[in-house]
Every structure is written in structure tokens, then in C-alpha cells.
Amino acid sequence: MKQPYFIVAGMPLVFKMKFYPFVIAVLLMLATSCKSKLTADQQMVELLKEHSTYATTAQNPYSPGAVLLHIDSLIANAPPLGTDIVSLYVNKAEVLLQLGREQQAVSLLDSVLYKTFVQDYEIKQKVIKGLALAYLRLGERANCIHNHSAESCLFPIAGRGIHTDKYGSEKAIALYQQLLKTDAGDYESYWLLNIAYMTLGTYPGKVPKEYLINIDRPAADSNVKPFQDVAMALGLAVRKMAGGNITDDFDNDGFTDIIISSTSLTEPMRYFRNNRDGSFTNQSKSSGLGQFPGGLNMMQTDYNNDGFKDVFVLR
């Protein structure tokens, strides 16, 4: 049985399932000087590119790159002293974390924290909390991403999920303890402090008693077992923004396949075909699906009652 080929059928995006690759025969004349002819698939790709350009704005919270440029422009025009510019630096650090630029966020907040003009108590606490979180995220990147295992960043953190590079968590612990000394009601910092100790494999023994949160672990004979990340072993390991996912038999061979999408209009959708042995092969390109970016949510069904599953993609 040949693999499915996904065809665009409109906006919102709908993919038509077929069992042989082919190109849509309908050609559209574009109102351009070169009079280019595009297939329906190509037309959809161009439409999504155009939409991505419009969506790249500071008013879009899902466009951190544009938000960062906006904050930088505000910083450039803000008075060099006072709480306003410190708040902007904190906001910039938050966006840097969204972009996965943890070290830059750490460097920024670390420099801001020790500037003499940070006098306001609440602003200073906000800077410290932001810096502590940035260090936690730095530790996650060093361990969960660059030293990934099947137990990485799965709660409760144990086994191979314990960090081997301890720098980020150790720095975060010191900052969270500093925060809690001045604000005993900061429950967010209580929780993240305990998580930081857990990443080092020193929870609960090394957590100061006044900060300890008792987290019950499932008993050895419990039917509730922690999840394990098996994506790497099955050929499903993908780093991307969160989006939609569907598991269904898309090629009618009796085995469950997977389609995933991303909220980012710069990241492609992906189709993983079941190899009939529990593993999967990425056939995004050959199926035609990989040319289409984005997709917040998806839903599959046979929309036109022809016996083949279609996929409705929302953006």
C-alpha cells in the first residue's frame, strides 16, 4: 500500500488523504508581472507566508521576536534611571526565555540586579525571581535538551532525569532562598525551590525544613506509574513549538499514524507513518505535508464521505 499524499483544499487548511503521490492539476493564474502558475498547495504555502508576515507584530504574544524588538526600542528611549527601565529589562528577559536564549536572560538580569538604581523592593524581588527562573531554564537546556534521556524533566524528577550539570539549579536555589527570607508567603518560590533540589537529586533530604514541601511519590506497587519519554526510541523525537497532534490510521493499513503541528508559522507540520512494529518513520516531505507550516489545533474525520480521512487545521 502506498503512502498518503496530503493536499490543501482551502483555508482553514484541509488535507485530503490519497494513497498515491500526485500534483493537483488545477493551476491558478496570479496577478503578478511574471504570470507565475501555482498549484493549490503552492498557493496555500504563499498564503501562509503572507499571513506569517502580518502576524509578526509586537501585539502578537506568539511572536516573541517582534515583541523583543519592541521592548528594545522602548529601552533605547527610556530614562537611564528608575523603575521603568528595570521593568523593561525584566520584560525583555521573559521574552528571551521564550526564545530559548537563557544565557542572555541570565546575563541581563544579573547585571540589572547589581545596578545601584534598583531600589524599589517589589521591582528588585521581581528581578531576583526572573533571574532564578532563568537559571532553572538554563539548567533545563544543559540537561533536558543537550543531555536528554527518557526520564528528563518528567515529574517527579528521578533516575536519569537528575541533572549532571548542576550549575543552573544551584544558582536558582540560592536565589529562591534569598527570596523566601524576605517573603515567607511566596508560594511559587517555595515550589520551584523544591523542584530545583529535586533536579539535583537532593530532595527531600537537603531542602531546609522551613521550605520543604512534602510530595508523595507513588508506591512501588501502585498502578499509577510515571510516564517515560519513548519518543527517541520510536523515531518521534521532535523539537518544536507546541501545537496540535492527531493519532489515527491515515493510510488505512490498520496501524495508528501520527500528525503533529506547531503554533509557529515558521515550523512545518509533520507526518509519522507507523512501521507496523511500533516505531515510526518521518514521511512529512514525501507525503506533501511538510511544506505547510503552523497549526494551533487539528481535527480529523472524513469530511466529504469518500472513505478517506481529512484533516482540518486551525490557525
Side-chain angles (χ1 to χ4, degrees):
M1 180 176 292
K2 296 182 179 180
Q3 67 179 6
Y5 187 80
F6 298 81
I7 305 168
V8 176
M11 187 70 175
L13 196 56
V14 179
F15 298 106
K16 183 73 248 162
M17 303 299 304
K18 295 296 180 186
F19 299 104
Y20 50 90
F22 68 98
V23 179
I24 294 180
V26 178
L27 299 177
L28 302 174
M29 296 298 294
L30 299 180
T32 62
S33 59
C34 61
K35 302 295 183 181
S36 300
K37 293 183 178 180
L38 298 180
T39 65
D41 283 4
Q42 293 168 337
Q43 187 180 23
M44 177 58 74
V45 170
E46 292 302 314
L47 182 61
L48 291 173
K49 286 181 180 179
E50 183 179 354
H51 180 66
S52 178
T53 301
Y54 293 145
T56 305
T57 170
Q59 285 69 46
N60 180 4
Y62 297 103
S63 182
V67 175
L68 182 62
L69 291 174
H70 177 64
I71 293 175
D72 279 339
S73 69
L74 295 177
I75 290 174
N77 293 284
L81 301 176
T83 58
D84 288 345
I85 195 168
V86 177
S87 295
L88 287 172
Y89 283 135
V90 172
N91 293 339
K92 179 176 180 177
E94 292 174 352
V95 176
L96 287 171
L97 290 181
Q98 292 177 32
L99 291 167
R101 293 154 62 176
E102 296 87 3
Q103 185 57 63
Q104 291 184 39
V106 165
S107 299
L108 174 63
L109 292 178
D110 193 57
S111 65
V112 170
L113 183 60
Y114 298 103
K115 289 184 181 294
T116 57
F117 60 79
V118 185
Q119 302 295 334
D120 185 276
Y121 170 78
E122 291 187 2
I123 293 294
K124 190 169 185 177
Q125 291 292 95
K126 193 173 182 180
V127 173
I128 296 173
K129 290 188 76 169
L131 183 57
L133 181 60
Y135 272 119
L136 271 184
R137 294 286 300 277
L138 190 68
E140 287 182 340
R141 179 167 295 279
N143 294 275
C144 300
I145 303 298
H146 296 318
N147 190 31
H148 189 76
S149 75
E151 296 177 272
S152 291
C153 286
L154 295 179
F155 182 84
I157 300 168
R160 290 180 295 165
I162 294 174
H163 292 187
T164 56
D165 183 338
K166 303 180 184 298
Y167 175 75
S169 290
E170 288 176 343
K171 296 289 285 187
I173 285 172
L175 290 167
Y176 282 125
Q177 288 182 338
Q178 180 180 341
L179 286 165
L180 290 170
K181 286 178 181 178
T182 57
D183 185 1
D186 183 358
Y187 297 112
E188 177 183 296
S189 293
Y190 271 108
W191 174 253
L192 292 176
L193 175 66
N194 280 259
I195 295 298
Y197 274 106
M198 195 178 290
T199 66
L200 300 180
T202 55
Y203 172 91
K206 293 294 181 68
V207 183
K209 291 183 179 180
E210 63 270 29
Y211 303 141
L212 177 63
I213 298 176
N214 290 311
I215 302 171
D216 294 331
R217 295 175 180 268
D221 58 350
S222 172
N223 291 327
V224 179
K225 302 295 183 183
F227 285 101
Q228 287 202 351
D229 182 356
V230 298
M232 291 186 296
L234 300 183
L236 294 171
V238 175
R239 296 178 187 174
K240 68 176 189 67
M241 297 285 286
N245 67 83
I246 302 173
T247 57
D248 209 327
D249 181 10
F250 290 104
D251 56 3
N252 290 348
D253 66 350
F255 292 84
T256 300
D257 310 301
I258 300 174
I259 292 178
I260 61 176
S261 64
S262 167
T263 55
S264 172
L265 286 173
T266 63
E267 293 180 343
M269 298 181 66
R270 292 177 172 89
Y271 167 61
F272 293 92
R273 187 171 185 267
N274 197 314
N275 295 326
R276 306 184 185 187
D277 60 1
S279 65
F280 295 82
T281 298
N282 187 341
Q283 294 189 347
S284 306
K285 183 176 181 180
S286 58
S287 67
L289 188 58
Q291 64 188 310
F292 304 110
L296 178 61
N297 296 305
M298 297 185 291
M299 178 62 69
Q300 84 282 18
T301 193
D302 182 5
Y303 287 100
N304 59 354
N305 296 321
D306 67 350
F308 301 110
K309 294 183 182 68
D310 311 300
V311 181
F312 181 70
V313 183
L314 295 174
R315 290 179 172 81

